[in-house]
């Protein structure tokens, strides 16, 4: 553009500019149109400068004309800008839209271990009978694990090949070998009559093989009341078996434990008639010496107790053949039993 002010040229810039404004599809494109006309080398900017070169008398009219054109440009520009920004905002919101009705991405849930499943079923059985749940320490004093349970000092279970001893030896601390260690704790800490079950880990220095593990779980049951007898014991064990295995037929065989007299092994007929007898628990009437350890008069009170191996329950219940599967902790293994009962 030459330095001469040309109203006709300005009019045609305005018309062209308005067309370009209408055609601009984004803020960016609009901005490009603006700088084409009003940037430092813009067509309007140059026209504005050329007004300065006019004769004094011509400037006013030229200035007014320029102002009119600029106003028209600006208003077309602002109108378009508003529209474009509205559309841009709409497109942005559209892009951010979340469909709340779509199914969410599920997190993998993990599965409860069969030992946990079996423990929970046993616990719920006892709480449904109104028994309390107890627990004791895994690092236990030998007094609770052996002495108070009427184990003679030379009993083989106390030996190092069966029991993990803590150092120093004088501490007389062991990793408890049985949840029977909770019996005297329960009797000392809870009022009579007492009906309590306690589930926990026990430890024995056995190597891991298909049937044994140096760490496993037991459930201990203990009832102390006036007039309890073997038939009460048998009743509770029968209900437990039917709750866990839907099998009601059980039998008691004579056995020996230092802390019960008489002592039994409890078997259950698995698979009903024509099935096979499997051993499920050790049990018996609490030995008078054990009651005495807890300051209970055996002339007034009697008790029964039993111990169930949780891994054994889980293996029988879920048809697990090898202890390794239970201790390895592969989640894919647990997942097979995740539905519980
Ligand atoms: N504590 C025994 C064990 O680990 C199991 C047991 C047997 C518990 C007889 C009892 C019981 O309470 O009366 O082999």
């Amino acid at each position: 553009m030459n330095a001469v002010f040309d109203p006709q040229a300005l009019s045609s810039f305005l018309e062209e500019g308005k067309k370009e404004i209408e055609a601009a599809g984004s803020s960016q494109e609009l901005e490009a149109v603006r700088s084409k006309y009003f940037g430092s080398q813009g067509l309007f900017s140059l026209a504005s400068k050329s007004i300065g070169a006019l004769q004094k008398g011509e400037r006013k009219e030229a200035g007014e004309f320029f102002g009119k054109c600029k106003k028209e440009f600006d208003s077309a520009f602002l109108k378009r800008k508003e529209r474009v920004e509205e559309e841009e905002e709409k497109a942005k919101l559209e892009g951010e839209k979340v469909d709340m009705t779509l199914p969410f991405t599920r997190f993998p849930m993990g599965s409860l271990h069969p030992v946990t499943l079996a423990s929970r079923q046993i616990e719920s059985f006892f709480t449904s009978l109104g028994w309390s749940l107890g627990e004791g320490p895994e690092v236990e004093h030998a007094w609770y694990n052996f002495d108070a349970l009427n184990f003679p000092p030379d009993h083989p279970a106390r030996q190092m090949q069966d029991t993990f001893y803590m150092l120093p030896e004088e501490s007389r601390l062991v990793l408890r070998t049985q949840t029977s260690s909770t019996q005297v704790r329960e009797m000392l800490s809870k009022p009579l009559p007492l009906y309590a079950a306690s589930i926990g880990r026990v430890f024995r220095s056995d190597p891991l093989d298909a049937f044994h593990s140096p760490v496993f779980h037991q459930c201990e049951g203990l009832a102390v009341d006036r007039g309890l007898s073997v038939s009460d014991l048998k009743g509770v064990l029968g209900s437990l078996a039917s709750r866990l295995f839907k099998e009601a037929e059980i039998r008691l065989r004579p056995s020996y434990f230092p802390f019960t007299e008489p002592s039994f092994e409890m078997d259950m007929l698995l698979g009903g008639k024509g099935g096979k007898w499997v051993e499920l628990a050790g049990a018996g009437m609490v030995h008078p010496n054990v009651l005495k350890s807890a300051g209970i008069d055996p002339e007034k009170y009697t008790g029964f107790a039993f111990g169930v191996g949780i891994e054994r329950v889980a293996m029988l219940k879920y048809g697990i053949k090898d202890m390794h599967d239970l201790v390895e902790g592969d989640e894919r293994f647990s997942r097979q039993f995740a539905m519980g009962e």
Side-chain angles (χ1 to χ4, degrees):
M1 157 124 188
N2 54 35
V4 178
F5 182 70
D6 179 350
Q8 227 165 354
L10 195 57
S11 291
S12 65
F13 294 156
L14 177 62
E15 286 318 306
E16 262 171 59
K18 288 203 296 194
K19 274 190 210 137
E20 286 172 38
I21 285 171
E22 269 326 292
S26 67
S27 315
Q28 231 176 350
E29 281 173 31
L30 261 182
E31 212 37 60
V33 177
R34 197 222 290 269
S35 75
K36 174 172 172 192
Y37 290 92
F38 282 97
S40 59
Q41 293 304 305
L43 299 171
F44 271 66
S45 309
L46 296 175
S48 161
K49 274 182 206 153
S50 69
I51 295 176
L54 291 174
Q55 297 295 321
K56 237 187 173 170
E58 296 173 326
R59 276 190 214 155
K60 187 169 178 258
E61 200 186 336
E64 276 173 8
F65 184 68
F66 179 86
K68 198 179 130 244
C69 293
K70 179 175 186 315
K71 208 169 152 195
E72 214 172 303
F73 182 98
D74 284 350
S75 92
F77 183 88
L78 282 178
K79 213 171 115 200
R80 182 74 192 138
K81 187 173 155 82
E82 219 167 277
R83 271 300 295 277
V84 164
E85 281 178 354
E86 217 169 84
E87 274 160 23
E88 282 174 344
E89 176 73 10
K90 210 167 124 195
K92 192 173 158 227
L93 289 177
E94 202 64 37
E96 287 171 356
K97 199 156 137 186
V98 175
D99 183 348
M100 303 299 276
T101 65
L102 283 177
F104 60 94
T105 313
R106 286 164 193 261
F107 296 108
M109 287 283 284
S111 320
L112 294 178
H113 192 273
V115 167
T116 307
L117 290 173
S119 300
R120 291 193 176 180
Q121 284 163 33
I122 293 171
E123 273 175 8
S124 83
F125 168 76
F126 284 111
T127 51
S128 74
L129 289 188
W131 290 38
S132 69
L133 296 176
E135 57 180 3
E138 291 173 357
V139 176
E140 181 58 286
H141 198 282
W143 190 78
Y144 287 107
N145 198 77
F146 295 125
D147 306 343
L149 293 174
N150 200 38
F151 279 74
D154 57 353
H155 193 280
R158 291 180 183 252
Q159 286 169 13
M160 296 270 259
Q161 68 259 32
D162 282 317
T163 302
F164 291 111
Y165 281 85
M166 306 294 288
L167 292 173
E169 230 174 284
E170 313 81 79
S171 71
R172 301 209 63 221
L173 292 174
V174 299
L175 293 184
R176 67 176 176 188
T177 60
Q178 49 185 355
T179 46
S180 304
S181 62
T182 60
Q183 282 191 16
V184 174
R185 286 182 174 276
E186 293 282 348
M187 288 189 266
L188 286 173
S189 65
K190 288 179 182 164
L192 297 178
L194 172 67
Y195 292 85
S198 120
I199 293 181
R201 262 190 296 201
V202 300
F203 308 84
R204 292 189 194 169
S205 41
D206 285 329
L208 177 64
D209 65 25
F211 303 107
H212 302 91
S213 162
V215 183
F216 59 102
H217 299 75
Q218 286 186 330
C219 171
E220 189 77 11
L222 174 69
V224 182
D225 204 342
R226 289 176 195 269
L228 290 179
S229 69
V230 173
S231 62
D232 298 306
L233 167 63
K234 200 172 173 191
V236 170
L237 290 175
S239 314
L240 176 62
S242 59
R243 170 69 211 276
L244 290 175
F245 295 96
K246 323 269 180 274
E247 305 288 355
E249 199 170 342
I250 64 158
R251 70 181 182 196
L252 296 180
R253 274 184 295 117
S255 183
Y256 172 78
F257 299 100
F259 41 93
T260 40
E261 180 56 36
S263 301
F264 308 100
E265 300 285 351
M266 172 231 175
D267 300 332
M268 172 184 70
L269 187 57
L270 189 64
K273 293 250 170 310
K276 60 174 179 167
W277 288 98
V278 294
E279 197 179 302
L280 198 66
M285 301 307 291
V286 180
H287 195 288
N289 287 349
V290 178
L291 294 172
K292 282 188 214 158
S293 297
I296 295 170
D297 183 353
E299 297 295 325
K300 291 191 183 141
Y301 285 92
T302 50
F304 63 80
F306 50 89
V308 185
I310 312 282
E311 277 76 0
R312 178 147 180 84
V313 169
M315 287 169 102
L316 288 172
K317 214 173 143 60
Y318 301 117
I320 298 164
K321 298 277 183 308
D322 193 327
M323 182 68 81
H324 290 91
D325 290 331
L326 280 177
V327 301
E328 273 164 7
D330 187 330
E331 203 268 331
R332 290 168 303 178
F333 170 73
S334 297
R335 210 180 301 152
Q336 304 170 66
F337 316 103
M339 302 313 285
E341 285 184 271

